[in-house]
Amino acid sequence: ILEVLRARVGRPDGRHILTEYDFGNLFQHRHRRGRLAIQTETDLTRIAPSSLNQSDAEVFPASRLEDSLSGHFYRDRVRRFREESLVVVKPRLFRAWGPTLVALTHPWKPLGESAGSFIRSPEDPLVFVARFPIEEPGGRRLSIVLTPPARTKVSQILIGDQPLRYVLFRGPRRRRPLTTTRFAAAPEIRLTLKKASNRDEIPFTLRTWRRAKRSLRDSNRP
């Protein structure tokens, strides 16, 4: 199914996939080839639909549709998406194994990229701040792609006091950049490292996105 998703969601690298299915060794293989940012979750029902809609795809076993406790949630997700956004992949002898999987693809269109930098805070050497003076028009979303400095990792990314999710993926030349989930324009974002770095700036790529107008059956849903 990762081959199908890679073809469906397209470029740029780091498209965000939420999945209940652990791809194991197959996941590692496709992770390298497809450069997808794959986030494994035990239960998609714990994620708000508005947050699910910010991803590029959500994947779950087809058996979830018949689950006595949560089946209504998954059936409702399928109902809200147009037929062209639905992918069902069944195992085939010698080519795939595991359960039948359902994927809902979210047609986010990349509108452009620009360069920016997180600047080290004078109050805390672990904290870097990026400011965004221009608000995006309604309906558009942003995401950030960055490569953490060597010998350190990202501890958290905050918009105000709200954490912004991020997912690592395999980039070119064996780099391990991360991408944030999509977010509405904010005046300031704070990045905290786990270990101090000698860098005063951390460059990033800011991506702008727009959802296809007719991607959901219920168009007033986020």
Side-chain angles (χ1 to χ4, degrees):
I1 195 168
L2 294 180
E3 287 185 359
V4 176
L5 289 177
R6 190 173 68 248
R8 283 287 188 98
V9 301
R11 296 288 183 173
D13 294 342
R15 292 279 195 158
H16 183 204
I17 310 298
L18 284 164
T19 175
E20 285 187 350
Y21 179 71
D22 186 352
F23 290 99
N25 291 334
L26 178 64
F27 161 76
Q28 296 296 335
H29 179 59
R30 299 307 178 201
H31 193 281
R32 288 193 295 269
R33 288 185 57 192
R35 297 177 182 168
L36 299 173
I38 301 176
Q39 180 180 340
T40 304
E41 296 284 344
T42 56
D43 191 343
L44 293 182
T45 65
R46 297 178 181 178
I47 302 176
S50 58
S51 295
L52 289 174
N53 290 344
Q54 302 305 313
S55 69
D56 291 288
E58 53 194 277
V59 181
F60 53 87
S63 59
R64 284 294 218 174
L65 295 168
E66 306 303 325
D67 188 277
S68 59
L69 295 177
S70 57
H72 65 282
F73 174 87
Y74 296 91
R75 291 190 296 270
D76 184 65
R77 293 299 294 166
V78 170
R79 182 185 63 80
R80 292 186 185 281
F81 283 82
R82 295 184 175 276
E83 185 175 348
E84 58 269 27
S85 297
L86 176 66
V87 178
V88 179
V89 175
K90 299 180 179 181
R92 288 190 289 172
L93 187 62
F94 304 126
R95 296 195 60 181
W97 55 92
T100 297
L101 296 176
V102 175
L104 298 173
T105 59
H106 303 237
W108 283 99
K109 180 180 179 180
L111 299 181
E113 296 183 350
S114 59
S117 291
F118 283 98
I119 308 300
R120 186 196 299 274
S121 168
E123 290 83 20
D124 189 336
L126 295 178
V127 175
F128 292 73
V129 180
R131 292 184 171 85
F132 302 89
I134 301 175
E135 292 189 2
E136 287 296 320
R140 295 188 180 184
R141 291 292 183 269
L142 305 174
S143 66
I144 290 173
V145 179
L146 66 90
T147 301
R151 294 182 291 278
T152 188
K153 297 180 180 179
V154 171
S155 174
Q156 66 178 2
I157 303 176
L158 294 177
I159 299 179
D161 59 354
Q162 297 299 313
L164 181 61
R165 290 191 178 206
Y166 57 89
V167 189
L168 288 168
F169 65 98
R170 189 67 173 262
R173 296 181 294 279
R174 297 187 178 183
R175 294 186 304 121
R176 291 300 303 274
L178 64 80
T179 181
T180 69
T181 54
R182 295 180 178 91
F183 59 91
E188 180 180 287
I189 297 180
R190 299 173 70 84
L191 167 73
T192 304
L193 300 180
K194 291 185 176 180
K195 186 187 299 184
S197 169
N198 59 5
R199 294 168 62 173
D200 292 325
E201 295 187 23
I202 300 176
F204 63 81
T205 299
L206 182 69
R207 291 175 176 166
T208 305
W209 305 86
R210 181 181 66 201
R211 178 184 284 280
K213 291 182 180 180
R214 295 178 60 82
S215 60
L216 297 176
R217 294 182 186 276
D218 188 354
S219 59
N220 61 7
R221 291 282 175 170

